Structures are given as structure tokens and as C-alpha cells.
């Protein structure tokens, strides 16, 4: 909006300013849509009764309620304005709410920097909720028999923790950091599809609230995998899971498409593929996975919804369906999904390590090949999740081979990190510490994966705490550590304020030690025969479980250290950050802080890759 | 002061560490690795886990030694702004890395395949397993349902019991199936795991070698009381097994008449949720 427009709005009384397409309208329309869907569903479907959970529920009504609620929410935010304006022949506004002011952070805004900040805060909140769930799970596991939490609530917590983390954190790095920095890194003024960019964020927020609403409908007992026919059998809380994950899938697909289009078509002159920052390559590889895998998830969940609502039987044995079908479809999405979580972390590490070693990235082409290789290979390994299931048992050697092979391109990433450290000038700044933490955690995660990829050995470890420890090492140790590396590295650029370094170091060390102290013993517990997702276990495992729980609470505490630092540094102390505190040569640091709405006054011409370290007096690659 | 030969130093540290650690892993850690020696398959897993650990140890040490060395030797001085050397790659190192990692993972895959094809490794092999051990086999059906396993012995009149008892030294052919949702039959000490799918027969082979009690747990999330879906079984001598199964046939004769006839799979009614 223009300055005069803004001034006019400021002069209006408060009630008048609240009218319009904003978050308040969105919430009101979401509630209206929700009850309309609920009413509509009850018109042509009667409710079921679950005698175990003592609940009445109507799947049709709930799914329609969610659907219309989301539509109402998006319309209220103003997502319908552009297509409607085009339909009635009005000149549409190409950009929405890119003016100044805090209010643009609370509505539809097509400025990629605003969307990046929205993602960071939004995902941060849901990460916190998922973390609290984990704390409650560990609270229950202090005792070998249920004490604090009943088995039903326990399974709901397990399901919410897993689904929240796997769903929301898929966009954990791409949402905030790729949206914010990819255009800056490639010398573009915006993303290719700014409205779609905003849509991905608001879809994800709507999805997050839908998942949390499951507690009002009995929760869901299936964990994040939603296996059939258990999911078909259970109460209405399952519909929250289905709607949540389908919306996340939609958001992921759109996010990936937008990233691919942006990276392919909006690069600055001279930014050839071999000069692309390695983080952008990681985003590119991740986006390929998102675009190809996430639609599979949407389709699978749609089938599950139809099974639950109109009694199709895609997954019901004895009526032409099969539980194997669901497992195949789910993991065809599910395995690329875990690389959607891992690849952006690779990108962050490879992007940051040259800055803190003052060396060019070692083996740039190998790193690119590694990430593209992982992304391609990840479509050929999904049945290693089903080694003991009896599905296509004769194909187990193939999936063993493909799974082992995927560690070759993953090894490239390690080699590039190690090559960059060789004879470097390492500074142990906080982002670098988190990158080194990633290296250790992902090493343990990767090596433990060898036990799981080996079909004979997997017989013991499948479905046990060993698997749980393994994927927490790769996802929490891989993704969340690099997520924090990115926060400490880039938030000074995003806000112009610097973090308290001492608190940040305390955060890292407490988090790193507590993380390993939590998850290393879980390998032992798994090998001693403790299955996943149970609230009861053998008495002789209590000692280790108490150790793990206490470590997990300390791990939770380390997140509070971060929150304190966040509040103190960004809200109370507000120390201005130096313009380029890490002396990075990458393009995003060459823009002024705060970054102007149009990013660059003139589109830069790129003459080299951004890793021009180690050459005295070299330019920064920008002319 | 001239720069020391970092590569040689690193290599020496790694070699010493590997020479100390690998035998320790094989001879000290190996024998205590799970799941023990309850069956031929379980002993096989101990061997597999030992081999994997032994292959992994040098790799783990290489990376840890490298990272620690780099963090000690290649530091920026406090407040320094020195640049490192502008090395952008090294074709020989890259090729060597690719060759070595490929060789390791391909041989691991080959080893895993060979071990899997030896006796099925106690893992659920589907309704027509590729590997069928030779010799006479005792058929036992494992039926999962919310939230218990029951066991049928078709060669003993299809008697169905709530406990799994197996004769020692006898190859057992487990047919795992489910009456409702997906379960997973996991006899930890026997090194057996096979998913129980409705309408599917999933066959696993196991040959118990020790007289012991073993635990059975469900290892696939199957709903509310999943955590409580466990029981204990026993491996007994052949003579004890004979008398036990005879007792069971007498004990469960009245209820046996009410059960459906023996079948390798039970397709559940497409019963929907209550209501």
C-alpha cells in the first residue's frame, strides 16, 4: 500500500481498521466455515459411536468442517481476492501488503522476507508444542508401568509428537531460510510465485491447528505413520491427522514447485549452475523430492479418508483392499520425506563451513552430485521399512543394496566437509559449533542406519527403540542442529540484531551433550528388546529409561536457554549486529540490513561462486 | 617452523586407534551383543552385528580422529582474520573415497544378502519364502489380534493355545497372520520378527537351540493396548513338548469346537467401526 493509503488507515478508528482481509477476518471465517461443514456433513451422514472411547463422532462432518474451515481461513486472509478480481475484470494488485509496519507479519504478504519470518516464528511455535509432547512421553517412561498418563493419551502424545515434527519440520529450513535467502542468494527480487509462497505458509498454520484439535476428538493411536487398518478402525481424532498431513503435503508440493521455478528462472545474470551457492543446490534437490513425493501422500490420505467416510475399502482386507497397499504408498512418500528433512541440513552445513574455515568449499561438484544422488536414490529404498512385513520378500536383497548404496552420495557430503576443514582457519563461532554437532550426530545416525539396512540385523532392530534412536540422530541431530546453526547465522541478517554469544554457547553445549546422552542409550534399549511406542517396558530397563528421561528434560531445558536468549537479545538488549558479522562473501550479506522490499537496487551480475575465500584481496563476486 | 606432515600423523593416529579398537569390538563387545544364542537365527544375528560393528569401527574412528585433529591443528588464532589456502578439491582423494566407500557398502550388501539367503534370518519372508531350510519342520501358526497372540499347532489337531512352547533343536515354521490390524510378532531371544497382516500369511523359520524362556512382544503399533501385548514362551525338550501339547489338546478340546477350521490366513470381516 502507498504511504498516503497507510496514513489514511492510521487515521481510522480501531474498529474500522479491523475490517478487511486480515487475520481476524480469517479466524472468524474459519469458524463459520467449520460449523457450516459440520452442519453439512450431519445432513447426509449420521454419527458413529465408539463404545471403547465413549465418543460420538461423524467423520464426514468433521472432514467437511476442516475443509470449509480452511477455505474460510484462506478467504479471510485475502487469498481469493486476486482470482476474483481477475474474474470480474478488475486490475488485480500483483503484490499484497508489502508496505512497512508490523501488521504485514500477521496476514497475507507476498514479500519473501516477511514470509520467511512468518515461517520462522510459526514453525518455532509448533516445534515447541511437539517438544512439549516429547517431554510428556519421557515423563511417562520414567516408570515401567503407566502412572501419569493413560495408554490412550500416551499414544495420542506419541502420534502428535511424531506427526507434528515430521509434518511441520519438513518446511523447517526451506520455509524460513530458503524463502528468505534463496532470492537474495540468486540475485532475485522475489520468488517466482509470491502468492503461492504466502499460501504455503498459511496452509501450514491451518494444518498445525487442525492437528492440535485432535485432542478434542479422541486423539489418534497410530503414530505418524497412520497404518491401516488401525487408522480405519479408530475414532474421529484420526481425521485430524489425515487432514493435517494432506494439507502439509499440499503446502510442501507448492513450496517445492515455487522453489524450483524460482531457482530455474530467476537467477541473476552470470549465476550459472556451477556458481550456485551450495545451499541453493540443497534447496533444489529437496524441492525435487517435495514435488515428486508429497502428492503421493495427498493421494494416500485421500484414499484413507474415503475409507473412513464413504466406506470404500482401499486398505481393508477381505473387501478387496490390503494393508500392504497403504504401507507401500505411505513409505513411497515416507522415505523421500526423511531426506526432505536431511538435505537442507547438508546445504546449511556446506554453506556455513567455508565461512568459518576461510576456505572455498572443497569438492563443490561432488557435493552437488551427493545431494542430487541422495535425492534420486531416495525413491528406490522405501521397502526397507517393510523388511519383516512379508511384502515382496524376494525383493529384500534389492532394497538392502539400494539402501546401502544411498550411503555413498551421503558420504560425499562428509568428504566435502572434511576437505574444507583441511588446513583451514577454523573459528568456533556458534553456527560453526552447530555444524560440527551435525557432523557427529549424522555420523552416528548414518552408521546406525547400516544395522537397519541389513535385513538380517534389521530383524532385531525393526520397530524397536533402536530405529527411534537412529532417526532422531538423523533428523533431530541432522535437521534441528542445522536449523539452529541457520538461526544463529542468519537471524542477525534478518533482524539486524545480534544474539548473546555466551548464552548461545551454553545452548549449544547443553543441547549437544543432552542430545547424545538422551539418544545414545536408546540404541542400547532397542537392542535389549524395547519396542517403540509403548508405555510399558520390562522392569530391568528402568535404569536406562530414567537416565534417558532425565537427559531429555535437560535437552528440553536447553531449548529454554535458547528462548531466553531469543527474548533477551531480540526484545530486551537489542544490540545491533555488525553489518556482516561472519565476514561472509555470499551475496545475501552484500545487501543492506534491513533488506529493502525490492532486495537489490540493481540486479547484480555474478562473476564467480560465493566461496572466494583464501584468495587475498579477491572481490566478493559482485560487480 | 615448517608445517608438520598432517596426513601422515593422521594416518598413524587412525591406524593405532583402529588396531586397538577393532579387536576389542570383535572379541569383547561381539559376544555380548544381542539377541544372544537362543536359536540358530539369533546366533546368526550376533555374528552379523559383530561383522557390521567391526566394519564400522575403522570408519567411525577415521571421521572422529579427523574432526578432532582438524579442530586442534587447523584453528584461527583468537581474533585472527587469516584466510586458509584456496584448495577447491583433489581428484585423487575424491576418487579414492568413492572407490573405498563403494567397496565397503557393496560388500556389506553382498554379505547381508548371503546371510539372508542362508536361512531367512528369522525375518518374515512372506507367504512363499525364497529360502526354505531343508529337513522336517514343525508348523506353528501365530495369530495376532487386538491385543494378544495365540498359537495354533496344525500337526496336533489344530489346537490353539495362548502360550508358545517349542521343542529344542527342531526347525519351526511360523505362519504369522492377523485377525484385525497389523501386528508384529517379535520373539526377542529367538531372533524372530514377522509382521502379522490381516489376510496374509507371513512365514519365518527359527530353530531354538537353548532351553530357555523367551519374551514375545508386539512391535507394530496396533492400538490402545499395544504396549500390553506381550507374553512369554518356552523352549523345552522334545519329551516335555510332547506331554505339554497332549495336555493342551485335552485342556482346550471344549473350545476347539467353536474355533474356525485351521487356515494359514484369516480374512477379517470387513467389519466397520461400531455404530
Amino acid at each position: 500500500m502507498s504511504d498516503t493509503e497507510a496514513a489514511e488507515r492510521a487515521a481510522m478508528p480501531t474498529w474500522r481498521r479491523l475490517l478487511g482481509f486480515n487475520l481476524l477476518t480469517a479466524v472468524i471465517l474459519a469458524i463459520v466455515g467449520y460449523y457450516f461443514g459440520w452442519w453439512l456433513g450431519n445432513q447426509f451422514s449420521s454419527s458413529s459411536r465408539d463404545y471403547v472411547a465413549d465418543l460420538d463422532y461423524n467423520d464426514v462432518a468433521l472432514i467437511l468442517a476442516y475443509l470449509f474451515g480452511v477455505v474460510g481461513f484462506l478467504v479471510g486472509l485475502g487469498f481469493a481476492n486476486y482470482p476474483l478480481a481477475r474474474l470480474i475484470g478488475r486490475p488485480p494488485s500483483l503484490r499484497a501488503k508489502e508496505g512497512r509496519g508490523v501488521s504485514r507479519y500477521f496476514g497475507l504478504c507476498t514479500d519473501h522476507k516477511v514470509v520467511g519470518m512468518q515461517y520462522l516464528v510459526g514453525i518455532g511455535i509448533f516445534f515447541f508444542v511437539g517438544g512439549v509432547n516429547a517431554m510428556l512421553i519421557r515423563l511417562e517412561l520414567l516408570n515401567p508401568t503407566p502412572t501419569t498418563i493413560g495408554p490412550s493419551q500416551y499414544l495420542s502424545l506419541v502420534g502428535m509428537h511424531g506427526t507434528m515434527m515430521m509434518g511441520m519440520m519438513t518446511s523447517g529450513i526451506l520455509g524460513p531460510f530458503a524463502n528468505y535467502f534463496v532470492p537474495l542468494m540468486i540475485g532475485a527480487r522475489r520468488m517466482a510465485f509470491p502468492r503461492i509462497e504466502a499460501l504455503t505458509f498459511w496452509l501450514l498454520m491451518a494444518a498445525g491447528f487442525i492437528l492440535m484439535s485432535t485432542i478434542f476428538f479422541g486423539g489418534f493411536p497410530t503414530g505418524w505413520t497412520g497404518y491401516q487398518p488401525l487408522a480405519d478402525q479408530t475414532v474421529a481424532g484420526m481425521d485430524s491427522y489425515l487432514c493435517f498431513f494432506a494439507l502439509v503435503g499440499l503446502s510442501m508440493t507448492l513450496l517445492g514447485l515455487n522453489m524450483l521455478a524460482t531457482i530455474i528462472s530467476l537467477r541473476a545474470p552470470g549465476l550459472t549452475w556451477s556458481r550456485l551457492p551450495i545451499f541453493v543446490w540443497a534447496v533444489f534437490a529437496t524441492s525435487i523430492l517435495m514435488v515428486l513425493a508429497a502428492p503421493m501422500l495427498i493421494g494416500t490420505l485421500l484414499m484413507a479418508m474415503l475409507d473412513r467416510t464413504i466406506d470404500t475399502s482401499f486398505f481393508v482386507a477381505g473387501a478387496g483392499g490390503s494393508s500392504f497397499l497403504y504401507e507401500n504408498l505411505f513409505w513411497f512418500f515416507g522415505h523421500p520425506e526423511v531426506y526432505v528433512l536431511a538435505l537442507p541440513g547438508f546445504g546449511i552445513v556446506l554453506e556455513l563451513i567455508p565461512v568459518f574455515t576461510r576456505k572455498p568449499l572443497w569438492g563443490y561438484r561432488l557435493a552437488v552430485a551427493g545431494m542430487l544422488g541422495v535425492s534420486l536414490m531416495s525413491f528406490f529404498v522405501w521397502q526397507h521399512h517393510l523388511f519383516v512385513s512379508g511384502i515382496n520378500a524376494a525383493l529384500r536383497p534389492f532394497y538392502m543394496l539400494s539402501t546401502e548404496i544411498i550411503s555413498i552420495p551421503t558420504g560425499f557430503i562428509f568428504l566435502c566437509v572434511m576437505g574444507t576443514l583441511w588446513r583451514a582457519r577454523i573459528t568456533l563461532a556458534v553456527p560453526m559449533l552447530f555444524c560440527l554437532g551435525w557432523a557427529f550426530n549424522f555420523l552416528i545416525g548414518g552408521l546406525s542406519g547400516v544395522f537397519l539396512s541389513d535385513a538380517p540385523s534389521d530383524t532385531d532392530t525393526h520397530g524397536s527403540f533402536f530405529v527411534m534412536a537412529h532417526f532422531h540422530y538423523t533428523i533431530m541431530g541432522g535437521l534441528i542442529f542445522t536449523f539452529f546453526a541457520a538461526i544463529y547465522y542468519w537471524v542477525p541478517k534478518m533482524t539486524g540484531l545480534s544474539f548473546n554469544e555466551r548464552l548461545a554457547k551454553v545452548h549449544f553445549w547443553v543441547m549437544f551433550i543432552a542430545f547424545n546422552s538422551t539418544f545414545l542409550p536408546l540404541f542400547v534399549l532397542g537392542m535389549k528388546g524395547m519396542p517403540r511406542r509403548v508405555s510399558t517396558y520390562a522392569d530391568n530397563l528402568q535404569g536406562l529409561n530414567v537416565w534417558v528421561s532425565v537427559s531429555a528434560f535437560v535437552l528440553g531445558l536447553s531449548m529454554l536457554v535458547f528462548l531466553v536468549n531469543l527474548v533477551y537479545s531480540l526484545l530486551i538488549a537489542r544490540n545491533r549486529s555488525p553489518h556482516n558479522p561472519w565476514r561472509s562473501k555470499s551475496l545475501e550479506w552484500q545487501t543492506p540490513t534491513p533488506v529493502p522490499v525490492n532486495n537489490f537496487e540493481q540486479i547484480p551480475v555474478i562473476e564467480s561462486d560465493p566461496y572466494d575465500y583464501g584468495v587475498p584481496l579477491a572481490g566478493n563476486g559482485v560487480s | 617452523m615448517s608445517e608438520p606432515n598432517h596426513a601422515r600423523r593422521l594416518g598413524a593416529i587412525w591406524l593405532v586407534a583402529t588396531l586397538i579398537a577393532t579387536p576389542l569390538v570383535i572379541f569383547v563387545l561381539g559376544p555380548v551383543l544381542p539377541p544372544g544364542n537362543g536359536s540358530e537365527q539369533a546366533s546368526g544375528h550376533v555374528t552379523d552385528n559383530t561383522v557390521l560393528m567391526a566394519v564400522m569401527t575403522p570408519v567411525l574412528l577415521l571421521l572422529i580422529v579427523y574432526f578432532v585433529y582438524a579442530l586442534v591443528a587447523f584453528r584461527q588464532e583468537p581474533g585472527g582474520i587469516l584466510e586458509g589456502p584456496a584448495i577447491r578439491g583433489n581428484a585423487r582423494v575424491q576418487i579414492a573415497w568413492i572407490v573405498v566407500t563403494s567397496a565397503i557398502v557393496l560388500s556389506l550388501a553382498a554379505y547381508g544378502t548371503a546371510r539372508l539367503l542362508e536361512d531367512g534370518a528369522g525375518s518374515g519372508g512372506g507367504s512363499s519364502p525364497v529360502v526354505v531350510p531343508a529337513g522336517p519342520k514343525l508348523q506353528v501358526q501365530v495369530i495376532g489380534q487386538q491385543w494378544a497372540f495365540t498359537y495354533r499347532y496344525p500337526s496336533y489337531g489344530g489346537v490353539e493355545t495362548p502360550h508358545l512352547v517349542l521343542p529344542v533343536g527342531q526347525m519351526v515354521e511360523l505362519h504369522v497372520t492377523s485377525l484385525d490390524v497389523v501386528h508384529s510378532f517379535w520373539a526377542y531371544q529367538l531372533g524372530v520378527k514377522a509382521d502379522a497382516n490381516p489376510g496374509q500369511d507371513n512365514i519365518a523359520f527359527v530353530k531354538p537351540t537353548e532351553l530357555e524362556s523367551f519374551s514375545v512382544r508386539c512391535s507394530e503399533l496396533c492400538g490402545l493396548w499395544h504396549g500390553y501385548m506381550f507374553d512369554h514362551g518356552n523352549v523345552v525338550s522334545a519329551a516335555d513338548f510332547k506331554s505339554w501339547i497332549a495336555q493342551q489338546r485335552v485342556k482346550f478340546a471344549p473350545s476347539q469346537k467353536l474355533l474356525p477350521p485351521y487356515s494359514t490366513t484369516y480374512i477379517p470381516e470387513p467389519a466397520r467401526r461400531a455404530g
Side-chain angles (χ1 to χ4, degrees):
Chain A
M1 77 184 74
S2 67
D3 285 347
T4 45
E5 233 180 298
E8 275 171 28
R9 275 190 83 77
M12 291 172 186
T14 314
W15 68 267
R16 181 66 189 78
R17 268 187 289 162
L18 289 177
L19 290 182
F21 293 99
N22 56 33
L23 196 54
L24 181 70
T25 319
V27 170
I28 293 170
L29 286 189
I31 294 170
V32 171
Y34 178 89
Y35 282 106
F36 173 72
W38 186 267
W39 170 83
L40 191 67
N42 277 314
Q43 293 311 300
F44 55 83
S45 175
S46 59
S47 69
S48 305
R49 176 144 188 89
D50 183 279
Y51 294 97
V52 180
D54 197 18
L55 278 173
D56 276 320
Y57 62 94
N58 184 339
D59 296 308
V60 179
L62 187 57
I63 287 177
L64 285 179
Y66 282 143
L67 181 71
F68 282 101
V70 171
V71 170
F73 183 67
L74 296 177
V75 168
L77 281 166
F79 279 100
N81 296 1
Y82 176 83
L84 287 181
R86 295 303 294 260
L87 272 177
I88 58 174
R90 288 238 183 103
S93 154
L94 285 176
R95 292 178 157 196
K97 280 198 184 164
E98 289 190 359
R100 300 190 174 281
V102 185
S103 67
R104 69 200 159 129
Y105 289 98
F106 295 94
L108 162 60
C109 178
T110 54
D111 183 346
H112 69 94
K113 298 174 289 294
V114 174
V115 179
M117 288 298 282
Q118 288 174 328
Y119 257 113
L120 190 56
V121 175
I123 282 186
I125 291 170
F126 286 111
F127 177 66
F128 183 78
V129 174
V132 171
N133 287 339
M135 295 296 108
L136 291 172
I137 291 169
R138 284 316 316 181
L139 184 70
E140 169 59 52
L141 289 176
L142 279 170
N143 264 299
T145 47
T147 44
T148 21
I149 301 161
S152 170
Q153 285 81 350
Y154 179 81
L155 287 183
S156 289
L157 283 173
V158 169
M160 270 181 79
H161 167 73
T163 316
M164 188 70 90
M165 293 302 195
M166 294 302 273
M168 299 308 266
M169 295 313 286
T170 43
S171 308
I173 285 177
L174 255 62
F177 300 114
N179 272 320
Y180 200 108
F181 288 108
V182 162
L184 294 179
M185 284 175 149
I186 64 173
R189 292 199 160 123
R190 59 179 176 92
M191 293 289 288
F193 307 112
R195 260 179 310 275
I196 286 186
E197 186 192 19
L199 179 65
T200 61
F201 169 73
W202 290 107
L203 272 178
L204 206 60
M205 290 303 107
F209 283 100
I210 287 179
L211 181 66
M212 292 210 289
S213 74
T214 188
I215 50 178
F216 301 113
F217 304 105
F220 59 97
T222 61
W224 85 280
T225 48
Y227 266 19
Q228 299 280 354
L230 179 62
D232 189 45
Q233 182 194 57
T234 194
V235 293
M238 199 69 220
D239 299 323
S240 317
Y241 163 92
L242 297 173
C243 292
F244 164 81
F245 234 156
L247 285 177
V248 168
L250 187 59
S251 167
M252 277 167 72
T253 315
L254 294 173
L255 178 64
L257 276 171
N258 200 4
M259 286 294 163
L260 289 179
T262 307
I263 296 168
I264 291 171
S265 58
L266 294 184
R267 279 170 295 136
L271 188 58
T272 56
W273 288 102
S274 57
R275 288 175 184 166
L276 209 56
I278 202 73
F279 175 66
V280 180
W281 266 115
V283 171
F284 189 79
T286 313
S287 302
I288 294 175
L289 288 183
M290 284 180 159
V291 169
L292 294 181
M296 194 68 152
L297 174 73
I298 304 173
T300 311
L301 296 179
L302 189 60
M303 288 157 84
M305 277 184 216
L306 292 176
D307 266 13
R308 282 182 64 82
T309 50
I310 58 168
D311 281 5
T312 54
S313 46
F314 292 108
F315 308 125
V316 182
S322 163
S323 55
F324 280 162
L325 177 63
Y326 183 85
E327 293 175 0
N328 255 335
L329 291 173
F330 182 82
W331 287 113
F332 189 81
F333 150 78
H335 203 82
E337 148 90 358
V338 302
Y339 285 100
V340 167
L341 296 163
L343 277 170
F346 297 176
I348 299 270
V349 170
L350 294 170
E351 184 70 37
L352 266 51
I353 281 197
V355 180
F356 296 99
T357 56
R358 312 312 296 172
K359 280 188 67 194
L361 177 63
W362 191 93
Y364 175 91
R365 277 156 197 270
L366 194 70
V368 173
M371 292 193 291
L372 291 179
V374 166
S375 127
L376 178 73
M377 284 301 301
S378 69
F379 284 102
F380 296 91
V381 298
W382 80 94
Q383 279 199 3
H384 67 213
H385 295 269
L386 305 168
F387 274 156
V388 301
S389 71
I391 191 174
N392 273 355
L395 273 176
R396 281 178 294 174
F398 168 77
Y399 285 103
M400 209 185 314
L401 180 67
S402 62
T403 309
E404 302 267 12
I405 285 179
I406 207 169
S407 58
I408 300 175
T410 314
F412 293 177
I413 311 297
F414 271 95
L415 183 66
C416 294
V417 170
M418 290 161 74
T420 312
L421 291 180
W422 183 248
R423 295 176 57 201
R425 301 284 182 179
I426 300 170
T427 313
L428 288 184
V430 178
M432 181 66 176
L433 285 175
F434 276 97
C435 289
L436 293 168
W438 167 89
F440 180 77
N441 298 337
F442 211 84
L443 176 64
I444 304 289
L447 290 180
S448 60
V450 174
F451 287 90
L452 298 161
S453 71
D454 183 89
S457 181
D458 182 59
T459 310
D460 300 319
T461 43
H462 174 92
S464 75
F465 260 31
F466 190 94
V467 182
M468 210 273 266
H470 160 72
F471 68 72
H472 277 83
Y473 260 95
T474 54
I475 296 173
M476 177 151 192
L479 176 82
I480 304 301
F481 272 73
T482 54
F483 177 64
F484 281 115
I487 287 179
Y488 285 113
Y489 181 75
W490 274 321
V491 165
K493 176 73 199 168
M494 295 162 89
T495 61
L497 302 171
S498 62
F499 280 106
N500 180 311
E501 199 185 338
R502 181 167 297 175
L503 273 175
K505 284 194 167 160
V506 170
H507 171 211
F508 169 76
W509 283 110
V510 177
M511 181 172 162
F512 182 70
I513 293 168
F515 170 78
N516 281 289
S517 163
T518 305
F519 290 103
L520 269 180
L522 289 183
F523 286 119
V524 181
L525 278 173
M527 282 211 151
K528 278 172 172 284
M530 181 162 167
R532 292 166 72 179
R533 299 159 163 171
V534 294
S535 52
T536 52
Y537 52 84
D539 283 346
N540 62 340
L541 301 179
Q542 190 178 7
L544 265 180
N545 266 302
V546 170
W547 173 278
V548 170
S549 285
V550 172
S551 305
F553 299 146
V554 177
L555 184 58
L557 211 62
S558 76
M559 298 297 158
L560 289 186
V561 175
F562 169 72
L563 274 184
V564 167
N565 195 355
L566 194 73
V567 171
Y568 171 77
S569 301
L570 301 188
L571 299 179
I572 298 170
R574 295 186 70 83
N575 290 322
R576 297 225 60 87
S577 163
H579 172 61
N580 184 351
W582 321 112
R583 298 187 297 120
S584 167
K585 295 190 175 180
S586 182
L587 188 53
E588 80 272 19
W589 289 99
Q590 317 310 326
T591 57
T593 308
V595 186
V597 173
N598 275 327
N599 297 353
F600 302 96
E601 234 168 82
Q602 258 191 321
I603 296 291
V605 176
I606 314 292
E607 287 170 349
S608 73
D609 74 15
Y611 306 111
D612 232 351
Y613 301 99
V615 189
L617 301 175
N620 51 22
V622 186
S623 68
Chain B
M1 193 182 78
S2 69
E3 191 85 345
N5 188 332
H6 294 298
R8 190 171 296 171
R9 276 191 186 179
L10 257 171
I13 299 174
W14 170 74
L15 195 65
V16 171
T18 303
L19 288 178
I20 295 172
T22 313
L24 283 179
V25 164
I26 296 176
F27 297 109
V28 180
L29 186 61
V32 298
L33 279 177
N37 296 308
S39 71
E40 278 184 1
Q41 285 67 23
S43 314
H45 295 170
V46 175
T47 314
D48 292 335
N49 288 337
T50 311
V51 169
L52 294 182
M53 283 257 180
V55 174
M56 250 174 246
T57 309
V59 179
L60 180 71
L61 287 172
L62 176 69
L63 274 94
I64 287 183
V65 166
Y66 184 92
F67 274 97
V68 171
Y69 188 94
L71 288 183
V72 173
F74 307 133
R75 288 288 279 276
Q76 181 87 271
E77 285 173 15
I81 50 163
L82 293 174
E83 299 278 297
I87 318 166
R88 282 173 174 266
N90 181 326
R92 278 166 61 192
V93 173
Q94 292 177 5
I95 291 170
W97 177 274
I98 295 173
V99 169
V100 172
T101 51
S102 306
I104 294 175
V105 300
L106 292 180
S107 40
L108 281 180
Y111 175 76
T113 305
R115 297 286 301 167
L116 181 68
L117 296 184
E118 212 170 286
D119 60 354
S123 162
S127 52
S128 49
V130 191
V131 198
V132 180
K137 290 173 278 284
L138 169 68
Q139 282 192 346
V140 179
Q141 185 175 38
V142 179
I143 305 165
Q145 60 185 300
Q146 287 169 324
W147 287 276
F149 288 109
T150 52
Y151 309 92
R152 268 195 166 189
Y153 293 81
S155 43
Y156 295 92
V159 59
E160 187 170 331
T161 79
H163 292 286
L164 181 59
V165 173
L166 297 173
V168 72
Q170 163 75 55
M171 182 60 85
V172 182
E173 183 179 316
L174 297 161
H175 290 255
V176 184
T177 188
S178 166
L179 295 181
D180 37 46
V181 302
V182 181
H183 303 274
S184 190
F185 170 77
W186 183 15
Y188 172 74
Q189 283 84 352
L190 300 185
V192 174
K193 193 177 284 157
D195 279 7
N197 307 283
Q200 303 281 346
D201 187 22
N202 192 8
I203 299 174
F205 297 97
V206 63
K207 188 173 182 182
T209 47
E210 272 180 11
L211 296 171
E212 63 170 1
S213 154
F214 57 88
S215 63
V216 171
R217 285 206 78 140
C218 177
S219 74
E220 187 58 69
L221 187 50
C222 58
L224 186 58
W225 300 105
H226 164 62
Y228 298 78
M229 191 166 162
F230 57 84
D231 59 70
H232 289 272
N234 284 302
V235 179
V236 297
S237 68
D240 286 352
F241 177 75
K242 281 259 158 27
S243 63
W244 175 81
I245 198 84
Q247 274 174 19
Q248 300 298 305
R249 292 185 73 170
V250 175
K251 186 174 168 190
F252 291 109
S255 63
Q256 206 66 28
K257 289 179 291 200
L258 304 171
L259 294 175
Y262 174 77
S263 148
T264 50
T265 60
Y266 294 95
I267 295 178
E269 293 281 307
R272 316 305 299 201
R273 288 145 282 143

